Amino acid sequence: MSLINSTATEALDLLAKGQITSVALTSAYLQRIADTDDQIGAFLRVDADAALARAAQIDQRRQAKQPLGKLAGLPVAVKDVLCDSQTQTTCGSQMLASYRPPYDATVVARLKSADAVLLGRTNMDEFAMGGSTENSAFQLTRNPWDLNRTPGGSSGGAAACVAAGMTPLSIGSDTGGSIRQPAGLCGVVGLKPTYGRVSRYGLVAFASSLDQVGPLAANTTDAALLLEAIAGHDTQDATSLDAPVPRFSAEIDRPLTGLRIGVVREHFTTGLDGEIEHAVRRALDVYQSQGATIKEISLPHSKYAVATYYVIAPSEASSNLARYDGVHYGHRTDRAELLDELATEQKELESAGDREALKNIDNGLVRMYRRSRAEGFGPEVKRRIMLGAYALSAGYYDAYYLKGLKVRRLIRQDFDAAFQQVDLIAGPVTAQAAFKLGEMAGDPLAMYLVDLYTVSANLAGLPGISLPCGFTQSGLPIGLQLQAPPLAEDTLLRGARMYEQATEWHKKKVPI
Ligand code: GLN
């Protein structure tokens, strides 16, 4: 059996028993990357030499019987949004194309101290804004199930590399669905933890009150293993929760007795694809046959979730992205070109005799900010900055941003009420399976609507997971989403594992 066919949990066991080495395992995955990533484009950079050196070091330490971390010798890929002092962090943006962080994000530091082998950095929508990875400034990523289709986004690279067997584990981030949606479209497991469960220190900020880091893997047990390694309180992040981290993977096979699953009435609306609805309803039957009770619930404010998200997220983004001005951070425009531009404009105004305009002409500094930002950011990021700056501006603040915060509270209250009656909420991840590359380019609103089922969990701060629950007639994966109350990742994972134990969807391999 090829090494890359074992799960992360199995590989960890083989490593611990000395039946395989981390160098052999890492080499097998690097080979798979070399064989397939030309077609898929999941990785922005593969750090093969560093990964092999690290694997060799871990093998040596194991031979010398030195203590090892929880993920010792296992390859992990990291979305290019988390700072790592040993490599660039581009966020899929020209703005940060040459940025090298001086420090490690807490998640990266925890992976290193768990003795994971970091394989490289995965592609993403620029600053995590998007749902198809097409907003990356660097390359397209293709869905391993159909190369003409998107892997989803913004963690498209993170999902595609797991789906294609290029790594057993990968790290993504989820502000409005960016772990769960690509996981769903690529047929892998992706978990967005409770807000505050995983440290955001060193995660390049998009919308700070919504951003969370989480695991992607080929099955729920592996996702649980990775979550354990990265979760937990961090004094460097003021919003990090000081709550104990259960050993999710140890308990995961224990089925939940008396499980009550809520099905949201508002989820089954006209936009939902028939094949997806069918797959989700069949998943509910599976739960029922395992003794769970299914109860219809209502989240009356969920119809406002996308609108609310697209006020709050851009507002926070416009503030967070103010730091990229070519001075504090990021790309700075060419000085010579800037001065040429200034001189040309001055000359034009002089010859037009426009003294007033000449007096008020933007000086070099303002011009430098403007040009640097114009060159460094792509169109979607600019759109978000403008939307956000508008929603926060005097006169509109109350009408948009403040109102958004109020609706956000109502959305959270709907969930609180629902979780009085049920333990988990089950439903679709997306209304459609993976769409064609280019299909939604030029239609930002259509792209925003893809987030229909995922943004609520971020607005309410809840954990959510996407897991494979079937395929369309044309062979595209379908995802099932489960959501749980805050800090109930144990219930979420055990509930997901129950379904996984009864089905085979997660075992299907991509045709490549
Ligand atoms: N698609 C959503 C957006 O573009 C979610 C992105 C994310 O979760 N990072 O904002």
Side-chain angles (χ1 to χ4, degrees), residues 128-130 154 174-178 206 309-310 384 451:
M129 296 173 193
S154 65
D174 189 313
T175 303
S178 279
F206 163 10
Y309 173 84
Y310 279 98
R384 304 281 178 115
D451 305 327

Side-chain angles (χ1 to χ4, degrees), residues 143 145-146 149 184-187 272-280 282 428 430-436 468-480 505 508:
N143 190 312
W145 294 95
D146 177 344
R149 292 179 187 266
L185 301 191
C186 288
L272 180 61
D273 176 83
E275 287 185 276
I276 297 195
E277 171 161 1
H278 183 68
V280 169
R282 277 208 328 250
T430 53
Q432 312 282 330
F435 43 96
K436 290 220 169 75
C469 77
F471 287 85
T472 63
Q473 296 258 307
S474 53
L476 299 172
I478 301 175
L480 172 71
W505 306 116
K508 271 200 93 171

Side-chain angles (χ1 to χ4, degrees), residues 206-224:
F206 163 10
S208 308
S209 78
L210 303 160
D211 298 340
Q212 261 297 287
V213 180
L216 293 103
N219 61 74
T220 53
T221 310
D222 290 355

Side-chain angles (χ1 to χ4, degrees), residues 3 124 157 204 209 258 372 410 503:
L3 283 179
M124 57 185 282
V204 178
S209 78
S372 299
L410 294 172
T503 54

